[in-house]
């Protein structure tokens, strides 16, 4: 990979990714964010499309690679 | 542990994100303890409750992990009366590994050293490779007593002979030493010799038990494990041996008393056997050491699987390509998740991505 792809996460995406990174299920993440489980699916679908990946494993891989979430941990971007 | 909190060696600065933290699992701790230690090391001090929430660990497992870390000295807490407000801090990884090493290290008893020495020598004698070796005594007279075998009848004679061999145009000097605490005098005597060998480009290898005091007197530390001077720890060094270019080897005649001199071997069959012995112990020590510092080591099969999944394969298509069952795929991933302390595929991806295990295929819209 010659060029690091850039992707900017919205606040909502960040919050969701952080929760999933802690091991939350879609449902519990949805509850904590006060959105529906269907919205969670949609947000992730959209994120996967933007990153050009097909499944959750690849999504994790891409976000981990881009350092968009800490593993495992609550924060996005490195602040503990 | 007393009630006073000792703060020496306790980490104050965090380890940079993504830096390799040695795995405590290799030292016999649970993967939960390892995960908690990593978290404390990377993200700084935390309470038990914060850890549990962040890691998604059940409270009981978090408590057990912390108890384990406290027990081996890897983490300490403040001494608040209420457990919930205690703040946990990890010690520096290097200090922790040192402690675990000394905890794991049983003092090698001299009798077992003598036994393992005799095993090697008896092996050589009984296999006929060195049939002329005396079984338990030393030869009566110094000098050559069989083809390719000499008896150097004192420690001084052995030193003189070694200096002579090493003074020639040699390429490699391999040493096995069962000493846990080499005395300072002989270490200081060896240092200039080692330095001279390095200057001449002689590649030196030293295999020895982890030192009792962790002191490295022999060679300046920056030279160690460079290309020409390599030293690895091994718990089971079978005997004392010096070997030059896989051609000549010196081994004490009596492991209990070095003053009784050394045997010098130079026959091709003996040298093959001894070089093989050294090679085996060396490569296992190197492998262990590498496993210790790598954050995670994937087997070839795991790596192949992860690479396939990274390109978008499903469990089933990846299984087909690897000619294994989908069930094996599931099991491999489960085992990998356990080792990394994560619960699901998304977290597994995050961790492997952050560790740069594989490169994800990404073509984000511009």
């Amino acid at each position: 990979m010659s060029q690091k792809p850039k992707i900017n996460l919205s606040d909502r995406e960040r919050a969701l990714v952080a929760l999933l990174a802690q091991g939350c299920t879609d449902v519990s993440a949805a509850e904590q964010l006060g959105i529906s489980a269907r919205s969670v699916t949609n947000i992730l679908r959209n994120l996967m499309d933007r990153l050009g990946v097909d499944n959750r494993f690849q999504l994790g891989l891409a976000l981990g690679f881009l350092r968009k979430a800490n593993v495992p941990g609550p924060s996005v971007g490195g602040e503990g | 542990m007393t009630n006073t909190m000792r703060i020496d060696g306790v980490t104050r600065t965090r380890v940079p994100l993504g830096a390799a933290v040695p795995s405590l699992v290799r030292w016999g701790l649970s993967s939960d303890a390892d995960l908690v230690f990593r978290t404390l090391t990377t993200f700084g001090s935390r309470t038990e409750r914060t850890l549990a929430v962040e890691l998604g660990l059940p409270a009981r497992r978090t408590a057990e992990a912390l108890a384990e870390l406290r027990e081996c000295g890897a983490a300490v807490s403040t001494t608040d009366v209420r457990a919930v407000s205690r703040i946990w801090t990890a010690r520096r990884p290097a200090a922790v590994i040192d402690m675990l090493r000394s905890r794991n290290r049983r003092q090698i008893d001299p009798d077992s050293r003598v036994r393992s020495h005799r095993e090697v020598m008896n092996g050589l004698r009984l296999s006929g490779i060195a049939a002329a070796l005396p079984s338990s005594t030393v030869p009566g007279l110094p000098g050559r007593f069989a083809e390719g075998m000499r008896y150097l009848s004192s420690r001084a004679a052995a030193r003189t002979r070694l200096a002579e061999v090493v003074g020639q145009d040699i390429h490699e000097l391999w040493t096995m030493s069962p000493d846990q605490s080499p005395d300072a005098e002989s270490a200081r005597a060896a240092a200039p010799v080692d330095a001279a060998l390095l200057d001449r480009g002689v590649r030196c290898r030293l295999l020895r038990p982890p030192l009792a005091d962790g002191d490295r007197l022999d060679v300046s530390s920056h030279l160690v494990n460079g290309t020409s001077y390599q030293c690895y720890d091994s718990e089971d060094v079978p005997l004392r041996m010096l070997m030059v270019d896989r051609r000549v080897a010196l081994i004490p005649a009596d492991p209990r008393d070095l003053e009784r001199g050394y045997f010098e071997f130079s026959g091709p069959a003996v040298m093959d056997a001894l070089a093989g012995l050294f090679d085996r112990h060396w490569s296992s020590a190197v492998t262990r050491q590498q496993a210790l510092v790598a954050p995670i080591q994937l087997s070839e099969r795991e790596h192949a699987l992860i690479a396939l999944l990274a390109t978008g394969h499903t469990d089933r298509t990846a299984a087909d390509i690897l000619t294994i069952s989908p069930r094996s795929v599931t099991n491999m991933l489960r085992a990998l998740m356990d080792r990394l302390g994560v619960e699901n595929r998304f977290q597994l991806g995050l961790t492997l991505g952050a560790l740069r295990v594989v490169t994800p295929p990404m073509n984000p819209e511009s």
Side-chain angles (χ1 to χ4, degrees), chain B residues 13-320:
Chain B
T13 50
R14 295 181 206 164
V15 169
L17 270 185
V21 176
S23 166
L24 301 187
V25 175
R26 320 262 173 202
W27 295 94
L29 273 72
S30 69
S31 55
D32 284 351
D34 183 65
L35 178 63
V36 168
F37 179 73
R38 270 164 207 284
T39 308
L40 290 173
T41 300
T42 312
F43 300 105
S45 304
R46 277 159 159 61
T47 64
E48 183 172 329
R49 196 179 137 64
T50 311
L51 282 165
V53 171
E54 287 175 359
L55 298 174
L57 269 185
R60 185 183 50 80
R61 279 168 62 187
T62 312
E64 282 170 5
L66 286 170
E68 224 181 304
L69 292 174
R70 179 202 288 271
E71 190 267 325
C72 73
V76 293
S77 72
T78 52
T79 51
D80 308 31
V81 180
R82 295 178 61 233
V84 285
S85 57
R86 286 180 199 156
I87 297 167
W88 289 83
T89 303
R91 278 177 196 275
R92 269 186 310 115
V96 171
I97 292 300
D98 277 351
M99 278 189 280
L100 291 173
R101 180 176 285 152
S102 61
R103 185 181 80 153
N104 276 21
R105 184 180 50 236
R106 58 195 196 299
Q107 204 68 27
I108 297 170
D109 96 273
D111 286 343
S112 80
R113 274 168 49 176
V114 171
R115 266 198 308 280
S116 73
H117 176 103
R118 294 240 151 91
E119 264 169 41
V120 174
M121 300 308 270
N122 285 340
L124 291 176
R125 189 166 53 85
L126 298 173
S127 64
I129 292 173
L133 268 180
S135 61
S136 58
T137 61
V138 297
L141 291 172
R144 182 173 175 278
F145 61 92
E147 181 67 35
M149 282 181 261
R150 274 173 75 182
Y151 175 45
L152 308 157
S153 64
S154 70
R155 196 175 189 179
R159 280 194 176 145
T160 307
R161 175 61 184 146
L162 179 65
E164 196 180 302
V165 174
V166 167
Q168 296 162 6
D169 181 23
I170 66 164
H171 305 287
E172 294 178 327
L173 174 61
W174 295 356
T175 309
M176 266 185 181
S177 164
D179 288 340
Q180 276 185 303
S181 2
D183 56 293
E185 187 273 325
S186 64
R188 234 175 271 121
V193 180
D194 286 352
L197 288 171
L198 289 181
D199 284 346
R200 287 165 47 197
V202 175
R203 290 187 298 281
C204 298
R205 290 181 170 185
L206 171 61
L207 199 55
R208 62 162 178 217
L211 295 187
D213 55 2
D215 225 6
R216 301 198 179 259
L217 284 161
D218 43 3
V219 174
S220 319
S221 55
H222 70 277
L223 296 174
V224 175
N225 292 348
T227 50
S228 59
Y229 186 97
Q230 298 184 302
C231 174
Y232 284 99
D233 290 348
S234 168
E235 297 284 348
D236 56 346
V237 175
L239 80 175
R240 179 186 307 280
M241 171 165 76
L242 290 137
M243 186 181 302
V244 175
D245 289 345
R246 306 171 79 105
R247 186 167 53 78
V248 179
L250 297 184
I251 294 175
D254 181 348
R256 290 177 199 276
D257 184 4
L258 298 182
E259 296 303 330
R260 297 186 80 186
Y262 280 69
F263 288 125
E264 176 182 335
F265 297 99
S266 54
V270 178
M271 290 314 299
D272 271 357
L274 292 175
L277 179 76
F278 194 100
D279 280 337
R280 277 199 304 285
H281 283 269
W282 183 258
S283 54
S284 85
V286 172
T287 311
R288 259 199 317 275
Q289 189 87 8
Q290 284 168 350
L292 212 65
V293 289
I296 173 135
Q297 211 127 39
L298 299 191
S299 71
E300 231 167 89
R301 222 164 61 125
E302 286 168 338
H303 210 281
L305 173 60
I306 294 302
L308 287 172
L309 295 180
T311 62
H313 276 279
T314 62
D315 285 14
R316 181 163 288 281
T317 58
D320 284 347

Side-chain angles (χ1 to χ4, degrees), chain A:
Chain A
M1 203 165 45
S2 55
Q3 193 184 348
K4 200 168 177 171
K6 278 214 301 231
I7 174 149
N8 290 312
L9 302 189
S10 70
D11 287 347
R12 207 163 64 145
E13 286 165 341
R14 257 169 212 283
L16 174 59
V17 165
L19 286 170
L20 295 177
Q22 290 169 55
C24 285
T25 61
D26 285 14
V27 175
S28 73
E31 274 170 14
Q32 291 190 47
L33 294 175
I35 58 178
S36 69
R38 197 188 178 82
S39 303
V40 167
T41 314
N42 288 338
I43 294 170
L44 292 176
R45 185 71 261 164
N46 182 274
L47 207 49
M48 287 193 261
D49 287 346
R50 271 153 61 205
L51 284 161
V53 299
D54 297 321
N55 59 46
R56 294 286 178 99
F57 174 75
Q58 288 182 302
L59 179 62
L61 212 52
L63 293 174
F65 196 85
L66 297 173
R67 307 255 195 255
K68 289 292 179 185
N70 291 317
V71 203
S75 60
V76 175
E79 279 76 43

